[in-house]
Amino acid sequence: MRAAALVTFFVVVCSACRSGPAPARTYSIPSRHPIVLVTIDTLRADRLGSYGSTRGLTPSLDTFARESTRFTAAVSQVPLTLPSHATILTGLHPSHHGVRTNDGFRLAATVPTLAEQLKAAGYRTGAFVGGYPVRAASGLARGFDRYDDAFLISPDASERSADEVMRSATLWVDADHAQPFFAWIHLFDPHSPYAPPQPYAAAHREAPYDGEVAYTDAAIGRFLDRLRQSDLYASATIIVVADHGESLGEHGERTHGTFLYDATIRVPLLIKLPADRPPPSPADGFGETGKPAPTSSGSADGGRVVDVPVETTDLAPTIAALAAATLTRSDGQSLLPLIAGETGDPDRPAYAESYYQNVLLGWSPLRAVRTRRWKFIDAPRLELYDLERDPNELASRLDERAALVTGLQRALSRLDAADRSPDGARAAPTRDSAERLRSLGYASGFVTATAATRAVDPKDRVAVWAEIEDGIDLMARDPASAEQKFAGALRLQPDNGLAMKYLADLRFRAGQLREAREEYRRAIAAGFRHPDAYVNLASIAEREGHVDEARDALTRAVELASSDADAWNRLGLLEARRGDVDAARRAFTHAIAVAGDRPEPRFNLGLIERRDGNESAAQARLREAVALNPKYAEAHYELGTGYLLARQPERALEAYQAALVVRPDYAEALFGAARAELDLGKKDDARRHYERFVQVAPKGYGRQIAAAREAIRRISKP
Ligand SMILES: [Zn+2]
């Protein structure tokens, strides 16, 4: 039986509410009930039937909406996947959790998370994610007992389907019904590229985005039906929200991330509380009896509707309150009073921001506040929209409403007073993150903004950004067309470092190394920074035999991305090649520090220690390497060589045999094994290994082949 400790909420009408103060009310719900948070990536509110769509894409969510409270003015704080989820899972604005874009940031260890608090409150916590931007390494995993992003082990994977996510979540939910659980389920399908499975692809050939939405809705329907079959559906809090919408060309924006129009920052939000506390209605004594609630009402189809602005920061305090957990700090406020029938504040300024182009190109960031009726966007060219009359935000009314603008400007500066980003929120992009995010349409890298770049309003460069986004989209499948797009961006803006870097990447991939080097250098001269650029410059220099130049480039790469184990390892190899043992040791040690589970830097450090005469340190590192990867044949072989020199033929033979299990024709190990066997008096075994060595040894081994033949001759002598 679920412990039904009752939690009491005090519903206090806020002082700003128009209906005036009302007495505090209380109601109770079971504190240890299951909580399911479903975030649907890139889902526009207007694709849901409950939000007015007539496309018929979301029958499951529409049924769910009838049993839920539906928020018609829910605002995402940032229209990018990772920062938005960081907000949802901490209750903090981006300036407080520090994550501004998808690459180059991670949730710092000092930022408290909702999952940690629920875990502390006795909840089992599980996360099941569908897309690379919210990988565990983003920092979002903290507080989750289980964080399932295992599909990302495959280096080509960037996303998985809603049904796969749901399968994993269902197994976890079913494993234990005794302890209350918090499950975060992240469905990535509506995110670009749009490639719905059949039959949705065929049914939505003209609008594949809609096909993804319809497929996701069906997967959610299957999941909710499973919950309905047990008592879980009735007893659970279930929240469905999007991290942001999708622009689909509105305002010249292809996808999302740049602008703060409603296409991307207004999100669907549905909340169903446990059924043992039915949705309150005036008749239950929760609402204002006798008074029509002006902003919060039951809709014709049964669900409650809240049309005052709310933020996605409100979700963490709401969930914490439902779980009787404490959230140490939050920029949001619990939605329970609104769900209970409180009027709310139609003029609450909900905050939104985008620093995407600011980080990538140094352009002005965009920041906005949205009330129920108005949206004010702070940019080099200010914008004000009357959402009631102009829901598509086509005609700025800035000049007509000076007093309103002043008020909203003030509200904005209160919400985003100072950047109090926590330390540790910066995490330079790596080749892997850049590549996987590119496959999802995202750019990475950064420039240091100058006064001149900050004066650029992203709306005035929408054509430049469109060329870049098209180029990113085409890079893998049509490099020639991608090149034209980046060249097009550079025609419009000749100093665009991001476009230069992509052009360089295309040339590097095509093997045009001299052109690639030229273009990388131009991008760097334009102020653009990406560890990738330096790593690829190093590869080019190394291939041309310029070891010092390669070393300098890799040094810059690890300065930018100190957690890039691969770059550290390559730097170590270069230092070793230059003969600088100490520098090589430092580089390999760094690689080990940032990627403790990688055996290669330990192997390389072992060889450096051996070269430096520290045989016991060498053996220790080599043993660590084989402990991490028991099939590391070269490490076994080097261990064997150490034992042989130390006159421990038995252990040497063991190590060589371990190498030969992995690579039966490993010539050096065959030769070493034969040497050890001779020392041990195992003449027959030694002869067999020498004979095999002679058969497989590469041509350069003439001296050793001769020695092996001589040994065979001596062994065979009667
Ligand atoms: Zn997203």
Side-chain angles (χ1 to χ4, degrees):
M1 252 236 41
R2 192 171 301 113
L6 295 182
V7 186
T8 303
F9 299 107
F10 292 89
V11 179
V12 185
V13 174
C14 68
S15 57
C17 295
R18 289 180 168 174
S19 50
R25 274 179 270 273
T26 64
Y27 58 88
S28 51
I29 60 158
S31 69
R32 291 170 64 77
H33 69 281
I35 299 173
V36 180
L37 168 66
V38 181
T39 62
I40 306 175
D41 217 290
T42 325
L43 177 61
R44 285 173 68 111
D46 69 3
R47 286 307 190 269
L48 278 71
S50 56
Y51 283 79
S53 170
T54 53
R55 298 175 187 220
L57 304 174
T58 58
S60 309
L61 286 172
D62 296 340
T63 302
F64 178 70
R66 283 194 285 277
E67 294 155 359
S68 308
T69 300
R70 183 168 68 84
F71 294 80
T72 63
V75 174
S76 163
Q77 273 56 78
V78 44
L80 283 166
T81 303
L82 177 59
S84 178
H85 279 95
T87 287
I88 292 169
L89 294 166
T90 63
L92 296 171
H93 283 164
S95 61
H96 292 156
H97 62 59
V99 182
R100 257 37 214 266
T101 71
N102 281 327
D103 208 7
F105 296 86
R106 72 190 306 278
L107 189 65
T110 51
V111 180
T113 67
L114 173 67
E116 283 176 320
Q117 302 311 318
L118 293 188
K119 192 174 156 69
Y123 269 70
R124 197 158 72 92
T125 51
F128 307 88
V129 304
Y132 180 77
V134 291
R135 63 203 176 279
S138 67
L140 293 183
R142 192 150 36 81
F144 284 103
D145 298 323
R146 170 92 195 281
Y147 198 94
D148 179 17
D149 68 349
F151 71 103
L152 293 171
I153 284 174
S154 156
D156 302 326
S158 297
E159 60 175 310
R160 62 172 165 169
S161 74
D163 278 306
E164 288 170 71
V165 176
M166 291 303 200
R167 202 171 302 131
S168 172
T170 304
L171 282 172
W172 181 83
V173 165
D174 286 351
D176 177 5
H177 282 194
Q179 196 186 351
F181 66 82
F182 168 58
W184 166 39
I185 294 169
H186 168 242
L187 306 177
F188 199 68
D189 304 78
H191 196 285
S192 70
Y194 314 131
Q198 294 298 1
Y200 305 95
H204 301 277
R205 201 162 286 134
E206 301 303 312
Y209 171 77
D210 288 1
E212 295 275 30
V213 172
Y215 162 68
T216 307
D217 179 82
I220 290 177
R222 287 188 279 275
F223 177 75
L224 293 179
D225 283 346
R226 271 194 65 111
L227 293 184
R228 284 189 185 98
Q229 282 159 20
S230 62
D231 70 336
L232 278 176
Y233 182 84
S235 64
T237 287
I238 302 175
I239 299 174
V240 177
V241 68
D243 62 341
H244 52 77
E246 186 79 320
S247 196
L248 300 170
E250 285 158 81
H251 296 94
E253 185 178 26
R254 213 168 161 274
T255 58
H256 57 267
T258 303
F259 293 135
L260 301 176
Y261 301 113
D262 268 11
T264 62
I265 68 155
R266 177 181 175 240
V267 291
L269 170 60
L270 305 167
I271 300 180
K272 182 200 82 70
L273 295 185
D276 39 3
R277 197 191 67 78
S281 68
D284 300 329
F286 294 115
E288 299 264 334
T289 10
K291 260 197 240 167
T295 60
S296 173
S297 61
S299 70
D301 55 5
R304 174 171 292 281
V305 178
V306 173
D307 70 356
V308 295
V310 299
E311 293 191 349
T312 58
T313 55
D314 299 338
L315 292 171
T318 305
I319 293 169
L322 285 164
T326 337
L327 204 61
T328 29
R329 61 195 171 101
S330 171
D331 293 313
Q333 43 198 262
S334 169
L335 298 171
L336 294 176
L338 291 174
I339 296 172
E342 284 306 336
T343 309
D345 179 4
D347 296 325
R348 175 184 175 188
Y351 175 78
E353 67 165 46
S354 171
Y355 277 72
Y356 194 24
Q357 276 77 14
N358 177 254
V359 169
L360 286 169
L361 293 158
W363 298 351
S364 172
L366 297 178
R367 299 174 313 144
V369 280
R370 186 199 194 279
T371 68
R372 189 169 65 189
R373 179 167 177 188
W374 299 99
K375 182 183 292 170
F376 168 70
I377 301 173
D378 184 33
R381 285 196 291 119
L382 306 177
E383 294 162 83
L384 177 73
Y385 297 102
D386 181 344
L387 301 169
E388 259 168 34
R389 292 191 196 163
D390 177 21
N392 296 321
E393 299 159 281
L394 297 173
S396 176
R397 311 180 75 84
L398 192 80
D399 301 333
E400 302 156 36
R401 305 293 298 245
L404 179 64
V405 167
T406 309
L408 291 172
Q409 231 157 357
R410 214 173 289 140
L412 181 60
S413 57
R414 270 199 304 276
L415 287 168
D416 191 37
D419 190 337
R420 278 156 293 178
S421 268
D423 291 341
R426 281 280 182 172
T430 63
R431 246 147 310 129
D432 182 48
S433 66
E435 189 49 32
R436 296 209 216 197
L437 288 166
R438 193 196 52 69
S439 77
L440 302 172
Y442 289 121
S444 48
F446 58 93
V447 298
T448 305
T450 64
T453 63
R454 276 185 83 96
V456 173
D457 192 320
K459 358 182 225 302
D460 297 331
R461 293 279 170 87
V462 68
V464 176
W465 186 252
E467 296 278 6
I468 290 175
E469 251 195 329
D470 284 346
I472 290 172
D473 187 42
L474 289 162
M475 255 177 108
R477 58 191 157 87
D478 185 355
S481 302
E483 189 172 332
Q484 283 173 13
K485 295 288 180 185
F486 295 127
L490 284 168
R491 268 195 302 279
L492 294 167
Q493 190 205 341
D495 63 348
N496 191 305
L498 180 64
M500 292 174 196
K501 194 263 181 182
Y502 280 124
L503 270 183
D505 285 348
L506 283 168
R507 302 208 159 124
F508 182 76
R509 283 170 204 203
Q512 302 163 350
L513 300 187
R514 213 166 319 142
E515 294 84 346
R517 180 171 53 204
E518 223 32 57
E519 210 62 63
Y520 280 129
R521 285 177 174 166
R522 278 182 61 201
I524 291 166
F528 187 76
R529 294 291 177 270
H530 197 299
D532 235 13
Y534 290 108
V535 170
N536 290 348
L537 277 174
S539 295
I540 296 168
E542 215 182 335
R543 240 177 273 185
E544 294 182 347
H546 305 307
V547 178
D548 287 342
E549 195 184 317
R551 172 183 167 273
D552 290 346
L554 278 176
T555 304
R556 297 305 307 275
V558 296
E559 276 167 16
L560 284 178
S562 61
S563 65
D564 190 338
D566 187 47
W568 279 115
N569 192 49
R570 289 172 63 168
L571 180 59
L573 291 171
L574 268 178
E575 298 287 17
R577 225 174 116 185
R578 294 174 67 246
D580 191 337
V581 169
D582 287 335
R585 183 188 284 120
R586 274 198 303 277
F588 293 134
T589 305
H590 267 290
I592 293 167
V594 294
D597 58 340
R598 297 248 326 246
E600 302 86 0
R602 291 177 196 270
F603 173 78
N604 290 328
L605 183 56
L607 295 191
I608 279 293
E609 296 293 7
R610 174 169 290 165
R611 201 202 279 189
D612 208 22
N614 308 318
E615 185 55 30
S616 66
Q619 294 273 324
R621 299 294 85 77
L622 292 167
R623 273 195 296 271
E624 289 165 7
V626 298
L628 287 168
N629 177 10
K631 293 187 169 175
Y632 202 152
E634 293 78 7
H636 284 297
Y637 167 76
E638 294 293 346
L639 270 173
T641 302
Y643 292 133
L644 204 61
L645 290 171
R647 301 187 190 286
Q648 297 178 304
E650 211 145 328
R651 297 182 77 181
L653 180 58
E654 245 172 66
Y656 289 133
Q657 278 166 338
L660 289 168
V661 167
V662 186
R663 277 176 54 193
D665 285 343
Y666 189 168
E668 294 87 340
L670 288 166
F671 193 84
R675 287 272 310 275
E677 282 153 350
L678 268 191
D679 286 355
L680 291 166
K682 299 181 172 179
K683 290 190 172 181
D684 289 347
D685 292 346
R687 189 180 55 218
R688 263 200 305 281
H689 277 135
Y690 275 132
E691 282 168 357
R692 187 69 194 149
F693 171 76
V694 170
Q695 284 170 355
V696 301
K699 287 213 168 56
Y701 280 32
R703 203 160 51 83
Q704 288 85 347
I705 292 171
R709 288 216 167 99
E710 172 62 20
I712 294 166
R713 198 181 54 76
R714 254 185 284 135
I715 295 166
S716 311
K717 249 197 228 162

